Each structure stands twice: as C-alpha cells, then as structure tokens.
Amino acid sequence: MEYLPDSWNKLVDVFLSTSVFVFLDYDGTLTPIVDKPENAVLSAESMRVLRRLRDKYCVGIVSGRSLEDVRSLVGVSGIYYAGNHGLEVSGPKINSKALGFERFRPVIREICSNLKSSLGDVDGVLVEDKGLTASIHYRLVSERDRGRVEGDFWNLVGGYVDSGDVKVTSGKMVFEIRPSVDWDKGRAVKWVVDSAGGGDSLIVYFGDDRTDEDVFRRLGEGDVGVLVSEDEGIESGAGYFLRDVDEVIEFLSVLSRLE
Ligand SMILES: [Mg+2]
C-alpha cells in the first residue's frame, strides 16, 4: 500500500481527466469510532467538504447502518447513500427497489420480534433491528447468561437459516443477521455507478474495515482504493492508505478544490 499523499502527483492528472465517483464508508472513515453509535456525528467542516465535493464529483456514502440512519447523520443532499452494506440505496437516478431486497423486511422484523420476546429478560442483550438486517449484541451480558443467549438465538434463528431466508455471521459478542443473498458493499458501489450511467468512471473508495474489503477487491485497474488505518502493514486489497479520519477529510478537501 502506498501512502495516498505520496502518490498525489501521479493521481491528480487522472482525477482531472475523467468523471469520478467518490464513495466513502461512514464510521471510522468520515467520523472517528465512538462507544455509542449515535454519537458518531459529522463535523460542520466535514459537511462543508462533502458539499464542495458533491459539486464537483458524484459522491456516495456506503455504510452498515440503515439507509435512514446514515442519510440523517450525513444530511447532505444530492449524493448517493447505501445503507445496510448496500442492500438499500438512494440517490440521483437510483431506484433500489429494483434490487428486490425489500421482500426480506418482514422476515427480519419477525425474527427481531421473536428474539426480543425470548431474550427480553436477559440483562445486556441488545436486539438492533435495522430493517433489512439485524444485529444482536450480547457483550454486556454476564458470562453466566451468555450460553443461554447463544442457545436461544440458534433455536429461534436456525430455522430461518435452514430455509434459506437469512444468513448469520458471528462477531465479537454479536450476531449479524442478513438476507441470504450474494450482495455486499462492493456490488452496491458497482451497481450505483452503472445505474447512474457512470460506465467507465474512475471510482475512489475510502473505508476502514473488513466489509470495505468487498469494495477494494471489486475495484478495476486505475480505480483508487484507500484503507483508513494506522497500521500500514495490514493485509488489504486497497492500493493506498491514509492514517485516520482527519487525513481523509484533509484529502477530500484538497480533492474538492482541484482545478
Ligand atoms: Mg467503517
């Protein structure tokens, strides 16, 4: 990976000579990671930079949050928003109903409601219903009760997995439930560019974690993938890196003034 500012001279001519889509992850990329997700608020300066960027390029935000959540946090009009890792998208010339994922909403709702009634009496369980996906956090559950949480979870959700409706991934004390479809942030980014008639446009993508690798590995030759990480030795499909959110905003600011 190259440090992005070191490659600036090489990239600047490319940015000026073609149509460009700039996509950004939200948490950890545009705002620092915080303990409570609702506290990840965009600074006024970052908002100004995004507006200037929008006036020059096609801009999109791609997040694991729900579409509604990320759109209201960013609050900039005239750009693309992809929520739930790209399962729902909004923006100019885009109709994400065409993707056909809305049909999963009722089953996710049903699962969340069953989990809430079954695990509601366990202290520390958080069932987060994000519409097209759900996260069940149990980091705050006492060690004594964790086995029960995991058992009840699989009792309730196993059938939906077996019938092919949803798939489950487990993280650090969290279960993620999502529709059983072959879709990720990378596919969503490509779909947005194609749907917006962007064809051969250059794609620039900034992201900081595992789900952003789905984008990096789908980028074409000449596209620019930027990992936000303090650790430049980390394994990644990105060609470039920046160290933190401040460096991202600074770079976007330069990009937005390019002429
Ligand atoms: Mg992130």
Side-chain angles (χ1 to χ4, degrees), residues 25-29 208-209 212:
D25 166 53
Y26 186 74
D27 295 274
T29 299
D208 74 307
D209 79 20
D212 299 306

Side-chain angles (χ1 to χ4, degrees), residues 56-182:
K56 207 159 199 136
Y57 313 98
C58 293
V59 176
I61 312 291
V62 187
S63 172
R65 292 173 181 261
S66 74
L67 176 61
E68 203 185 319
D69 189 11
V70 69
R71 197 164 43 192
S72 74
L73 278 168
V74 177
V76 173
S77 62
I79 67 175
Y80 298 96
Y81 289 100
N84 273 315
H85 302 290
L87 290 168
E88 41 183 359
V89 187
S90 75
K93 298 187 226 167
I94 287 283
N95 177 6
S96 80
K97 296 258 189 308
L99 292 171
F101 300 143
E102 291 301 311
R103 70 182 192 278
F104 290 100
R105 235 174 249 283
V107 72
I108 297 287
R109 192 181 308 131
E110 183 178 298
I111 292 172
C112 286
S113 130
N114 289 345
L115 285 170
K116 279 176 188 164
S117 35
S118 163
L119 294 170
D121 62 328
V122 183
D123 265 353
V125 175
L126 175 67
V127 178
E128 189 189 358
D129 182 352
K130 294 189 280 183
L132 281 175
T133 67
S135 304
I136 289 73
H137 306 267
Y138 59 104
R139 189 170 51 86
L140 300 176
V141 171
S142 71
E143 243 163 87
R144 187 173 45 102
D145 288 336
R146 279 180 194 162
R148 181 195 146 189
V149 170
E150 288 170 359
D152 282 8
F153 176 86
W154 285 113
N155 279 341
L156 277 164
V157 183
Y160 293 95
V161 175
D162 294 342
S163 64
D165 286 328
V166 300
K167 51 187 176 185
V168 172
T169 50
S170 335
K172 290 175 193 153
M173 301 291 154
V174 60
F175 290 113
E176 309 265 5
I177 305 171
R178 56 184 65 189
S180 180
V181 290
D182 188 13

